[in-house]
Amino acid sequence: MAKTDIGPPDYKTMLPPVISRNYGKWRYHEIPQPGLLVHTAESGEKLYSVRAGSPRLVSTDHIREMCAIAEKYCDGYLRFTSRHNIEFLLSDKDKVSPLLAELESKGYPVGGTGHSISNIVHTQGWVHCHTPATDASGPVKAVMDEIYDYFVTMKLPAHVRIALACCLNMCGAVHCSDIAILGIHRTVPKPDNTRVPNVCEIPSTVASCPTGAIRGDMKNKTITVNDEKCMYCGNCYTVCPAMPIADPENDGISIWVGGKVSNARSAPSFSKLAIPFLPNNPPRWPEVVDAVKNIIEVYASHARKHERVGEWIERVGWERFFTLTGIPFTDKHIDDFTLATETFRSSTLFKWE
Amino acid sequence: MAKTDIGPPDYKTMLPPVISRNYGKWRYHEIPQPGLLVHTAESGEKLYSVRAGSPRLVSTDHIREMCAIAEKYCDGYLRFTSRHNIEFLLSDKDKVSPLLAELESKGYPVGGTGHSISNIVHTQGWVHCHTPATDASGPVKAVMDEIYDYFVTMKLPAHVRIALACCLNMCGAVHCSDIAILGIHRTVPKPDNTRVPNVCEIPSTVASCPTGAIRGDMKNKTITVNDEKCMYCGNCYTVCPAMPIADPENDGISIWVGGKVSNARSAPSFSKLAIPFLPNNPPRWPEVVDAVKNIIEVYASHARKHERVGEWIERVGWERFFTLTGIPFTDKHIDDFTLATETFRSSTLFKWE
Amino acid sequence: MAKRETPLLDQLEGGKWPSFVKDMKEAAEKNPMAEDLLGQLELSYKDRIGHWKHGGIVGVKGYGAGVIGRYSDRPDLFPNVQAFHTMRVNHPTGWFYKTDALRRLCDVWDKHGSGLTNMHGSTGDAILLGTTTDHIQPCFDDLTEAGFDLGGSGSALRTPSACVGPGRCEWACIDSLDVCYNITMSFQDKIHRPMFPYKFKIKVSACPNDCVASIARSDFSIIGTWKGKIRIDQAEVQACTASGLDIQKEVCDLCPTKCMEWDGKQLKIFDEDCTRCMHCINLMPKALRQGEQRGATILVGGKAPILEGALLSWVIVPFMKLEPPYEELKDLILRIQDWWDEHGKSRERLGELIKRLGMRVFLRAVGLPAVPQMVKAPRTNPYVFFWPEDIKKEVK
Amino acid sequence: MAKRETPLLDQLEGGKWPSFVKDMKEAAEKNPMAEDLLGQLELSYKDRIGHWKHGGIVGVKGYGAGVIGRYSDRPDLFPNVQAFHTMRVNHPTGWFYKTDALRRLCDVWDKHGSGLTNMHGSTGDAILLGTTTDHIQPCFDDLTEAGFDLGGSGSALRTPSACVGPGRCEWACIDSLDVCYNITMSFQDKIHRPMFPYKFKIKVSACPNDCVASIARSDFSIIGTWKGKIRIDQAEVQACTASGLDIQKEVCDLCPTKCMEWDGKQLKIFDEDCTRCMHCINLMPKALRQGEQRGATILVGGKAPILEGALLSWVIVPFMKLEPPYEELKDLILRIQDWWDEHGKSRERLGELIKRLGMRVFLRAVGLPAVPQMVKAPRTNPYVFFWPEDIKKEVK
Ligand code: SRM
Ligand code: SRM
Ligand code: SRM
Ligand code: SRM
Ligand code: SF4
Ligand code: SF4
Ligand code: SF4
Ligand code: SF4
Ligand code: SF4
Ligand code: SF4
Ligand code: SF4
Ligand code: SF4
């Protein structure tokens, strides 16, 4: 009989000795080069963290390779970051260069620190989930290939955090990202009336719809969808498997910009709609890659130092954002959900373009 | 048989000749002293406008007195402002001083220009309306007596616009005022079941409730109110006279601050709750007078030049506003209506006090 | 008439601000309605409650608007205000009066009513406070004879109002008075005969200072604005500093877009970033003048809180030229009212309807293009509707 | 095994960023599940649609959480992923690993699953991607043997996560790792046995930079902060300028409260106006140190858009000292979960419940006082509820 509720291993057993000795007594850090963090403790001891990019979807052999590297340079200590990068934790300064060399030779990108683009937080997509409107790993790989240079350098005005979620559930950090890539459906789910009565609970299916598009049909133990009120969120499908929503012709990707999480300078804020729809074009999603790159480049050349994407747009105005990026503004950009009126312009204070 | 639809008199017939001549060709204005506006036209001609306070509720004899003054100094031309002040319109500079002297002798306060407190926009109250939670003219008179000095001088950091409405219908400009005085009920309306069936339409009564507190009782052709959900707005009473809401013990006044209308510097914005309740204490509403005065004085001594009340509070923070004014913050200040979440603090960016 | 005791109201006669009680007493001297009004108000002060019954419907022939019915709940004590209806008289645009017109109004009111007024109501009408049911029609007849007409009430177009604008103000970007008067005259029918789901208010301010609170208090807000560079008279700028204005601190630092530069000698404005807030111009009326291309921003939806919460008007047309006969403007108003009329529920203001059906639906219905000026920021939620034409036909 | 043709996925092997396809192929070399996964993914790339059926309920004995059931909709083509469930393994707090532990994990997974993982899932778990139904329990048994346990899923407490905090970061105001670990261990039952209306997430960031996105992605957000003056080492400030930092432009001008003054020599901070945004400290880690009194701001309600729209967490306790055993904190969590449990509808997150019933009701229920730090601004609508005790008893 297995033990239960043992919980995760105690993190204290996982800390390199330099951390255990200086725990909570760090004094400052420096980033001498992209991907290398040097933390100095009050004791004067230093910790070298080398950050390397990861596809996140990794095989056990790949993990073992990481382990081998960590054993060679870091006495077997490593960690992962909240954005799924790998961090090799060294106490020996002399091992930093050899480690960097080995990482380079093995194809690990080193970077993601400071004013860079770090790894893209993302989700399952077609690899494992049942509701995706697009794949996750594929678009991420295609985008990262294109903007690779921003990962291994620190030349942007500020941090740029990108996330991807393959459906409106937004398992990635999409809703608060500098740039977000979001899979969307665009057609109404098709309830299968033969299956609904068996597999779905009518009241919870009705309650699952944010816009009240679903009506219960108690007599036939099924439901009907009001096409006009449906905005294809797919939440009903989560609750009731008998109303599939995926549609290869019309599923695709929307692009969102200007969100952030940190409290630095400005308050955390949501990402806002930039591009309502781009087609799913596997394997390399060229329209998505171009769109993301365009936004990054316009941002890079217009924002002031330390200005996150959203802070830049707030300063110059959304009118200007659309002009500069050449992205067309449409009625889809105008909110029509419950807090919509808060986003309407209730002043004469705007720019002409 | 009367003529119908003749419309108001053509304003062009009401304009003093100096205006007709320079219509649309004004070049700049000056305010040499409180209550005196001097507008210079491109032609070089000047218009002198002398602004005097008015109780708004005026008798025909009082109007005739204004007319007499206007005839004496202004060739019979005067106007009223959007805040119900009187403006005497002169083309002859020499008549300005004598006019000012006569106004002073007759007890007309002259001022309301520039960085002053202008007249209080207000409503009917107990004088004429059926839904008031307080009087209008009385509190206005009591407050203006106390802050008179701010009307006849221009020593505040910026314009301060006060408004009063005697119920939540807000016939005054209360929802966007620097300081707003708002009559409120605090008890649930009492439907008179004998009258409801005769005088009220059930569906529209049910629909009139912003919080869905009213249920139709179709069988008995009446309605019931869910006390827990009622926030005493009185809208049901407007629609259904058989559910009176006035309650002398519990009706009173709330104070709101920080709204504005102009687009100058910052966008127009709503007034926010400062004091949820002060008692109705006729004839001079001392608690209300003190509260308004306190806010003005704290504002006057802390705001920077050109900062409207709301702009000042935004800069220093609401935490600081409550600390400085000594007004207690309560759970009533926290919104719980439909857009409430937009007002919650979704960051760690606040002051300790 | 026996003088009533009004110990509470008497306490409002003192103080420096003009007293409405004085006016009421003045009227009460010669008018029994005014006297009973005073008495009933004193009772309200004592009881801390109003003494008017829920209004009833009264009016003049051919109109459905312009009179607010009102009855005392203590006719036993105050028989002269048993019925005490107000007449809303449409003011001359800009509230300009020649005294002869004003005197005619007073005469009519002394003949038919209480002799008490509000100059003016907060929608802008001259409010004639209190007459009896049988005086309504004769009073109206005498009013039109004197050149006045009633304003709006109920589910009608309400009396439009305008800032003084070109009548006096150097900042007028549009002819607020003429636009307002033109609308008023064109839409007389809509003012006098309530045919809408609810009230509809129009207010016109000739610049973004918005001196008639158009953005806050009207369903359809017309606010003057400009395109083109703010014209700078550098000599006058210097004169401003001379007279004590700290241009860096008071002007540049408070410019919301920080698009001004002042080096102590020259003032520079990066106009492409300016959002035309008026602040710098307000502070230096002699030195700065708005850009030369003039027009209006059109906004809709403003209102007080009942039912869904207060709304400020929202931009729907960033820039519209306004020249007589204002056909484009009036046509837009009509299209909007038609749509509202068709879809609005009873007592649903325009802003609430747009909120309910979506700006997207509104724009398409009235034929306006979506532009970024309409929003502070694009939507944050992913609940995006697509139009049927966006979607590929199904091939499954 | 016959190598599958994957012409589309092959195109994702090129490029500089590490390729997940490479990892999948690596695993496919020795694992038939991984191979079929590769095949099915290729089909998805061709069809532009997912090929997984709606998840089913699977799990380990005694738990209701930790495993996500998944079945292929083309078992005819890909029999080895007919069932392909993921195991969510609770990571060691801070995602710190000693390689032996990590190797043990890999060994277990090679024995029972596809050999593919996510390091890590976006809630923070080590995701073991895909095993068959009959392997779930043995896999779990081996996991616990190796010292690992499952994380949360379904309507349970989800695996809490924390920023690296005191493990490495000079800005840690609280012991994010210890708090997180303590909570995780204290609430094992709630993680493994779903008993709530819906999921509940806790994330701990040790300072306002919020490196685990606590405010955006957790129902209960714990964010370190401080009271007291920011400590300034003026010599180090000078050193910063020397190394090219423009203190006026890059630091002072970007301070959101403009509470800093720099005269080229001395840096002054008016701490009473500081909102602890971290910006200045972020830019000058050697020169500036946070104030000495340390604690956390507690916020609740953060979540993704489904159902009512995304929410960022809201301040409910501006400052709480956090010291082991964290009783005050855990007690608050329990009070909140109890209230949510009692009032929440099925699939209603905490934030949505507060939204529905009102912050006022929530605060009273969990016994927290209302303070201005909780709001950006007080309410604008006049729809204020009064408590029964506020009201005078009726005398009518
Ligand atoms: C390792 C990690 C924490 C962890 O426990 O895993 C981490 C570590 C550090 N963060 Fe972070 N942050 C980490 C995720 C985040 C996140 C969360 C996210 O990206 O999803 C945020 C919020 C992002 C946002 O706002 O959208 C975050 C916002 C910051 C900020 C504020 C940046 C800003 O100006 O908005 C700083 C301050 C700075 O860098 O100057 C910061 C600073 C730092 C410092 C300098 C702290 C320190 O002294 O050690 C660390 C190195 C930063 C660097 O990469 O340059 N960290 N940091 C995370 C690395 C993720 C990665 O692999 O890229
Ligand atoms: C006469 C009047 C228009 C009318 O058609 O009746 C008027 C007239 C002028 N306004 Fe106004 N405003 C008038 C109501 C308003 C209102 C509406 C209101 O108060 O309800 C507003 C919006 C108030 C608000 O934001 O809440 C208003 C916001 C302004 C502003 C912007 C002030 C600001 O900084 O926010 C200016 C600019 C200034 O004064 O520097 C302005 C400026 C002016 C100027 C200087 C325009 C001019 O060059 O002639 C006029 C004299 C101002 C003065 O009193 O110092 N006017 N002005 C109104 C006088 C009301 C009164 O008796 O007090
Ligand atoms: C007389 C006046 C107040 C005053 O003393 O100035 C007034 C008086 C009344 N208003 Fe008003 N409103 C008056 C201007 C306003 C304004 C201000 C404005 O127009 O600029 C507003 C806020 C702006 C707006 O329209 O949203 C206003 C918002 C309301 C409302 C709330 C409407 C809403 O949609 O939120 C009601 C309630 C209703 O319509 O049932 C209302 C209703 C009423 C009624 C008819 C009472 C009722 O429940 O039916 C009041 C009749 C009082 C009486 O016995 O004479 N009154 N009312 C103003 C009209 C005078 C005039 O014609 O010039
Ligand atoms: C695996 C993971 C994505 C990933 O690749 O990293 C994931 C995968 C799923 N999420 Fe998630 N969520 C994952 C982190 C998140 C996050 C991010 C976070 O926790 O920081 C969010 C946003 C934050 C939040 O909770 O609001 C998130 C918001 C959702 C939602 C929307 C919940 C909402 O209230 O808005 C759903 C829908 C639902 O619960 O029915 C959902 C549902 C799902 C389901 C269970 C699908 C479903 O409809 O039932 C997915 C199963 C995929 C699969 O087949 O394995 N997932 N999900 C993440 C969990 C891994 C882990 O344990 O570490
Ligand atoms: S975002 Fe949607 S499709 Fe993607 S993993 Fe989460 S629930 Fe599944
Ligand atoms: S997809 Fe979303 S909007 Fe459409 S019916 Fe389902 S739950 Fe409602
Ligand atoms: S605010 Fe209310 S009580 Fe006062 S006049 Fe308007 S409707 Fe009547
Ligand atoms: S007073 Fe307002 S909240 Fe109360 S029942 Fe009437 S309409 Fe509803
Ligand atoms: S709104 Fe503008 S144009 Fe009209 S009076 Fe006010 S300042 Fe002048
Ligand atoms: S009008 Fe306003 S935004 Fe434009 S330059 Fe002047 S102060 Fe700046
Ligand atoms: S949240 Fe703060 S304490 Fe934690 S790692 Fe990030 S910067 Fe350091
Ligand atoms: S922490 Fe932020 S608010 Fe405080 S002084 Fe530094 S920059 Fe300013």
Side-chain angles (χ1 to χ4, degrees), chain D residues 12 23 64 72 110 144 152 170 201 247 270 281 301-302 318 325 337 345 376 381:
Chain D
L12 286 168
D23 280 67
S72 172
D110 278 345
T144 50
E170 66 268 34
K201 295 183 180 176
I247 295 200
F270 298 89
I281 300 169
Q337 287 174 340
K345 299 193 240 180
K376 291 179 219 159
N381 64 73

Side-chain angles (χ1 to χ4, degrees), chain D residues 163-165 169 171-172 205-207 209-211:
Chain D
C163 79
V164 63
C169 183
W171 296 323
S205 282
C207 90
N209 281 331
D210 199 0
C211 294

